[in-house]
Amino acid sequence: MKITIKDIAQQAEVSVSAVSLALNDKPGVSRETKERILAIAQEMGYEFTARDTSGAEAVVRLLKIQRHGHTINASHNIFIDDYIDGINSIASRSGITLEIATYHTDTSIEEIAEIMGRNTQTKGYLILGTELSASDVTTLIETGKDIVFMDTFIDYIPADFVDMNNTDAVYKIVTYLVGHGHTEIGLITSSVPTRNFYLREQAFYQVIEHLRLPYMDQYIVDVDSTFNGAYEDMKRYLEGTPTLPSAYFVINDIVALGCMKALQEAGYAIPDDISLIAFDNLPMATMVFPALTSIDVSKRKIGQNALTILLSKSEHNESAPPIKMLIGGELVERDSVRTLEKAKQMTPSECSF
């Protein structure tokens, strides 16, 4: 079994970013940490890639850009580490050094674009677009640099994107709930500006309409996208003793876990009183009771494909049509969805979309 930098990070109890810096001999980790990481990597049998010293070093930069910090934060580090692991699996075979830069909310998009414009040493950019708006993406494209955006998808902008297939995943979620007897299905969403949240919410409405399920405004709940924020918002919502559906699709795992805490504190048993199903399959989904059913998307594959597209762009001088790639997800069944007596199998005609 091939050793990845994620394996090394887990063994060394450091982040994937720290392992990447150490293996690529870049500043950002202490000398002691670097030596420990290299020793662990060698002991685990990691395949070191020989560096090409005949010319200039090929550098790709991964930009983590916070616009509000509600989704690019410590709770999602494991999520981002999977992207980095996938990127490095291609970089190590291609003679590429990956550099990682984080821009916090106090740095404007215009400042980031200016920094990119001055940088002539970078082969291209992989940009984590989770919190970026359409205007942010346009500003970065105008730098003229080779860019592939990850974890976001804007179909009308002429740029390269690699993202999860939100529509397909939400369809799997809703049909799974229907197959377990749920016809009154609600949505717990977040108005925090995140493109993937918007795409999942729109997909939910489309699937509900396609399957001719009852739609009720009272089953749509808007909460903050952080754990504590979702918990507080859901707690306030439940104080109004609302009528709840039999099941909720929750926009992501972090929101689901915050809402689960509020529901349980209010006396609702999950899944006996209400079922929950979410998105992202973060490790903490298995650390709660009941364990959370969720959609798993290979962030590693997203990272791999993003770098592959970027390298293809930089190797061809002529302009090429934008590539927009969507990676499918798999439903991971756990214990947060109850099967009702009226459960039925979906027919082929019901499953077509």
Side-chain angles (χ1 to χ4, degrees):
M1 181 178 175
K2 186 174 181 180
I3 301 300
T4 69
I5 66 170
K6 187 177 180 182
D7 298 325
I8 299 169
Q10 291 174 343
Q11 184 68 23
E13 297 183 343
V14 297
S15 69
V16 170
S17 300
V19 175
S20 179
L21 293 170
L23 296 180
N24 289 294
D25 196 23
K26 291 294 180 181
V29 294
S30 67
R31 182 174 60 83
E32 293 80 5
T33 300
K34 176 184 171 183
E35 290 176 353
R36 184 165 64 87
I37 290 171
L38 292 175
I40 290 172
Q42 188 171 21
E43 182 180 331
M44 295 179 71
Y46 179 76
E47 296 179 9
F48 290 86
T49 303
R51 289 182 175 276
D52 180 4
T53 58
S54 61
E57 186 180 56
V59 175
V60 166
R61 300 201 88 201
L62 169 64
L63 305 187
K64 299 189 293 182
I65 301 176
Q66 286 186 346
R67 298 297 280 143
H68 45 70
H70 284 251
T71 50
I72 303 295
N73 53 46
S75 296
H76 287 83
N77 279 347
I78 185 69
F79 197 104
I80 296 169
D81 283 351
D82 284 342
Y83 286 131
I84 296 171
D85 189 33
I87 294 165
N88 267 307
S89 70
I90 301 297
S92 62
R93 301 197 300 265
S94 306
I96 298 294
T97 294
L98 178 67
E99 294 184 350
I100 302 167
T102 300
Y103 293 100
H104 299 287
T105 54
D106 56 354
T107 304
S108 70
I109 286 294
E110 290 73 22
E111 290 176 279
I112 296 170
E114 183 181 347
I115 293 168
M116 291 170 61
R118 293 198 307 263
N119 190 337
T120 60
Q121 305 302 315
T122 300
K123 192 176 184 69
Y125 291 86
L126 299 174
I127 298 181
L128 196 63
T130 315
E131 296 187 359
L132 299 184
S133 67
S135 62
D136 294 334
V137 169
T138 300
T139 298
L140 297 174
I141 293 170
E142 289 172 351
T143 62
K145 302 294 185 179
D146 287 334
I147 300 172
V148 177
F149 294 92
M150 302 186 304
D151 199 35
T152 191
F153 180 83
I154 307 175
D155 50 8
Y156 56 84
I157 290 182
D160 297 292
F161 296 92
V162 183
D163 193 15
M164 58 201 72
N165 191 332
N166 287 287
T167 301
D168 174 72
V170 172
Y171 190 77
K172 287 179 179 177
I173 286 170
V174 176
T175 54
Y176 176 83
L177 289 172
V178 172
H180 284 69
H182 299 275
T183 55
E184 294 184 346
I185 301 172
L187 169 69
I188 300 178
T189 186
S190 177
S191 56
V192 170
T194 300
R195 184 69 181 175
N196 279 331
F197 286 0
Y198 169 79
L199 293 173
R200 291 170 201 173
E201 183 172 350
Q202 294 307 303
F204 175 79
Y205 299 138
Q206 291 172 19
V207 176
I208 290 294
E209 181 179 3
H210 172 71
L211 296 178
R212 297 183 178 87
L213 296 173
Y215 170 81
M216 300 183 69
D217 283 332
Q218 70 192 74
Y219 291 164
I220 310 300
V221 186
D222 192 316
V223 300
D224 186 67
S225 63
T226 64
F227 174 86
N228 288 331
Y231 164 71
E232 293 293 343
D233 287 346
M234 191 64 179
K235 188 165 71 169
R236 278 191 293 272
Y237 176 75
L238 294 173
E239 287 172 355
T241 61
T243 300
L244 302 184
S246 66
Y248 275 118
F249 160 47
V250 192
I251 210 74
N252 77 356
D253 287 356
I254 298 295
V255 172
L257 298 179
C259 291
M260 179 185 288
K261 179 181 177 183
L263 284 162
Q264 290 173 328
E265 286 184 358
Y268 293 94
I270 300 170
D272 290 345
D273 295 328
I274 189 160
S275 295
L276 297 180
I277 187 167
F279 205 114
D280 285 342
N281 193 35
L282 295 178
M284 59 275 289
T286 65
M287 300 175 187
V288 293
F289 182 81
L292 183 65
T293 296
S294 185
I295 284 282
D296 180 74
V297 176
S298 177
K299 282 76 70 177
R300 195 171 191 273
K301 286 184 180 178
I302 291 176
Q304 289 173 330
N305 282 284
L307 181 55
T308 299
I309 292 170
L310 182 65
L311 296 180
S312 176
K313 286 167 63 71
S314 63
E315 289 167 3
H316 300 86
N317 292 325
E318 71 275 9
S319 60
I323 296 174
K324 302 182 192 302
M325 181 180 293
L326 297 178
I327 306 297
E330 296 296 329
L331 189 70
V332 181
E333 296 184 68
R334 296 195 180 97
D335 306 317
S336 62
V337 175
R338 178 190 177 196
T339 301
L340 303 182
E341 291 182 1
K342 55 185 174 181
K344 68 183 185 72
Q345 293 295 114
M346 300 293 291
T347 66
S349 62
E350 288 173 318
C351 289
S352 61
F353 192 50

